[in-house]
Amino acid sequence: MVVDDGRVSHVRLRLKGNVNAMIGSKTPMRVNELDVNAIAAGRPTRVVLAAVRIAVGLMWLQNVNWKRPPDFGQASGNGLYQYTADAVKNPVLEPFSWLVTNVIFPNFALFGWGVLIVEFCLGAFLLVGLLTRFWAIIGILQTIAITLSVLNTPAEWQWSYYLMFAAQFVLFATAAGRVAGVDGLLRPRWSLHSGRSARIAMALS
């Protein structure tokens, strides 16, 4: 006799609930109460997570395009220099404006190269899904710096920066590189090793 698995599961859930009620539990926890609120982990969810990760990676790579060495717009007053200067012209947080004026501007070429390298790596690693949680944290920190620079600039849409935060928190919380990413390929291998590098890689992915 073949019994449908779905019906068997339903019967088991009902029996468990009845047993809880019979033994007089004050707050009986039924399995079906947990299942009904479970987050779907099927193919549609996985596809969306992979798409969000790839889109965020492409966003960072596209933003590298206008951060051009060697002076990053300092001589002409545009590009990265213009956006950084907004932190002083339209301050969001006074200590950050002080940092820009007294530390970043005097060393702007070095700062520009740092931003270029970090954002390129950020986009590339998120695009392929490698060490995704670590790079999502870097993305959050970079978004903080961008927000403190341009949030109060006229004509800026503030929600664009809030959405950048949201997207990268999602990548961190879901470890999105495990879906269609390099993390998903390497984590089974890392899990077989007990060395420090393997443990760090597991934590950052």
Side-chain angles (χ1 to χ4, degrees):
M1 178 179 177
V2 179
V3 181
D4 178 72
D5 289 340
R7 293 181 180 179
V8 171
S9 298
H10 181 67
V11 170
R12 288 175 179 171
L13 294 175
R14 291 185 62 185
L15 287 174
K16 185 174 182 63
N18 290 337
V19 168
N20 283 332
M22 291 175 63
I23 63 176
S25 176
K26 294 181 180 179
T27 56
M29 179 61 71
R30 301 186 181 186
V31 178
N32 56 343
E33 291 175 354
L34 298 177
D35 289 350
V36 75
N37 290 320
I39 297 175
R43 178 172 294 181
T45 302
R46 296 170 67 83
V47 168
V48 169
L49 283 178
V52 170
R53 172 178 55 78
I54 292 170
V56 174
L58 290 174
M59 177 199 71
W60 285 114
L61 288 176
Q62 191 273 334
N63 279 332
V64 168
N65 183 55
W66 53 268
K67 297 176 175 71
R68 298 181 179 178
D71 71 343
F72 300 93
Q74 188 171 15
S76 57
N78 58 20
L80 179 61
Y81 184 85
Q82 176 186 349
Y83 283 90
T84 307
D86 282 336
V88 179
K89 296 176 182 177
N90 306 284
V92 177
L93 186 67
E94 287 297 335
F96 186 76
S97 301
W98 181 93
L99 180 70
V100 170
T101 301
N102 296 279
V103 179
I104 293 177
F105 280 165
N107 304 281
F108 194 74
L110 180 62
F111 170 76
W113 278 108
V115 171
L116 179 65
I117 292 170
V118 167
E119 291 193 359
F120 176 81
C121 292
L122 177 54
F125 276 82
L126 288 181
L127 185 64
V128 301
L130 177 60
L131 303 179
T132 306
R133 278 188 156 164
F134 170 76
W135 286 104
I137 293 173
I138 298 299
I140 292 168
L141 295 176
Q142 190 68 2
T143 303
I144 291 173
I146 294 171
T147 302
L148 291 177
S149 296
V150 301
L151 189 67
N152 287 343
T153 301
E156 285 289 331
W157 188 50
Q158 295 185 347
W159 270 99
S160 62
Y161 306 105
Y162 304 149
L163 291 173
M164 285 174 65
F165 278 116
Q168 277 151 135
F169 273 114
V170 167
L171 298 184
F172 175 79
T174 61
R178 302 178 192 181
V179 180
V182 178
D183 285 341
L185 297 176
L186 296 182
R187 281 178 60 82
R189 299 181 186 180
W190 292 334
S191 67
L192 299 177
H193 300 279
S194 58
R196 177 179 296 179
S197 58
R199 295 197 304 271
I200 292 174
M202 289 290 286
L204 299 182
S205 63

